[in-house]
Amino acid sequence: MSDVNRRDALKTFGMVSVASVLDVGTPHLERTVRAVESLQQGQPYVPKFFSRHEWQTVRVLVDYIIPRDERSGSATDAKVPEFMDYLLADREASENSKTSMRGGLAWLDTESRERFGVTFVAAADAQRRQILDDIAWPDKARPQMSHGVAFFNRMRDFTASGFFSSAIGWKDLQYIGNVFNPGWDGCPPAAMNKLGVNQDLMSSRVTIDK
């Protein structure tokens, strides 16, 4: 997982709608955003969907996907596990999504036990990375890793969606939003030339009263 610019790649994953990841509707996502905002204000959170062991595993796993670096915090800093738990615990979350999550976490532990005799959380960093390297690249993965690959793809999308919808994620993207720019002088000449228009043409447009 070290031979690509992971954070830049995950920006693309973060554009994937969470609705497509979890089969939920827009009202559900709006409630989740409000809940995550309250979490970022320091309110304590108790997992409602994940078991204690699953919660520990998720917190470890998402930080492998988006670790803390010199630019911004990690997935856990952005409260991605809380984001996931809140969505999965909601009554609108599909049973398929819940089963896929629990099944994937169980697969991860089973694979770790078979290889190293311990759960994924209890494994050493190098051991965890060995498993993740085997499922992070679908085109390179062995056929017997197909269940792990499917789970990791879904988890990666879910993690990116949570991270890049958080305040930490917005800052990581350097997203400014709808902010007034008093120094803006209009569209750059190069862009105007490419469009085949100019300021004089735009100024000559006549407003039609309705």
Side-chain angles (χ1 to χ4, degrees):
M1 297 177 66
S2 60
D3 58 346
V4 296
N5 188 327
R6 174 170 40 206
R7 193 175 294 267
D8 285 344
L10 284 170
K11 290 177 185 177
T12 302
F13 289 114
M15 303 309 164
V16 177
S17 169
V18 182
S20 66
V21 176
L22 289 182
D23 305 321
V24 297
T26 300
H28 185 198
L29 298 180
E30 291 174 348
R31 292 198 302 274
T32 303
V33 169
R34 290 195 297 269
V36 172
E37 287 174 353
S38 69
L39 290 171
Q40 292 172 341
Q41 292 170 4
Q43 296 182 10
Y45 185 85
V46 178
K48 299 175 180 63
F49 171 78
F50 292 116
S51 68
R52 181 177 180 180
H53 177 70
E54 289 171 340
W55 183 246
Q56 293 173 334
T57 305
V58 167
R59 290 181 64 81
V60 168
L61 183 55
V62 298
D63 275 357
Y64 275 102
I65 296 173
I66 302 184
R68 185 182 298 112
D69 60 16
E70 69 285 350
R71 181 157 139 182
S72 66
S74 67
T76 54
D77 292 328
K79 299 191 181 297
V80 169
E82 289 87 340
F83 173 85
M84 293 178 171
D85 184 77
Y86 187 89
L87 278 171
L88 289 165
D90 191 274
R91 59 185 175 80
E92 293 184 29
S94 72
E95 290 302 317
N96 180 64
S97 297
K98 297 176 182 179
T99 300
S100 295
M101 175 61 75
R102 287 216 153 97
L105 293 172
W107 181 94
L108 205 58
D109 274 342
T110 298
E111 187 68 20
S112 184
R113 285 193 183 98
E114 289 179 353
R115 295 193 192 194
F116 313 116
V118 293
T119 64
F120 184 79
V121 170
D125 174 69
Q127 295 171 331
R128 295 172 185 166
R129 290 178 183 275
Q130 184 182 126
I131 296 174
L132 296 180
D133 282 343
D134 285 344
I135 61 177
W137 313 105
D139 293 340
K140 299 179 182 179
R142 291 168 289 157
Q144 57 268 40
M145 295 286 105
S146 61
H147 293 297
V149 169
F151 165 68
F152 191 77
N153 282 346
R154 193 176 181 90
M155 178 61 80
R156 180 164 44 200
D157 289 352
F158 203 174
T159 300
S161 295
F163 183 83
F164 289 110
S165 62
S166 72
I168 289 178
W170 300 338
K171 292 175 183 177
D172 186 277
L173 290 172
Q174 299 179 348
Y175 174 72
I176 297 175
N178 189 21
V179 178
F180 176 67
N181 181 4
W184 191 65
D185 295 323
C187 188
M192 297 285 281
N193 292 336
K194 184 174 181 179
L195 294 172
V197 297
N198 55 57
Q199 293 290 354
D200 293 336
L201 175 63
M202 300 305 292
S203 299
S204 67
R205 296 182 63 185
V206 177
T207 302
I208 300 176
D209 295 329
K210 295 184 179 179

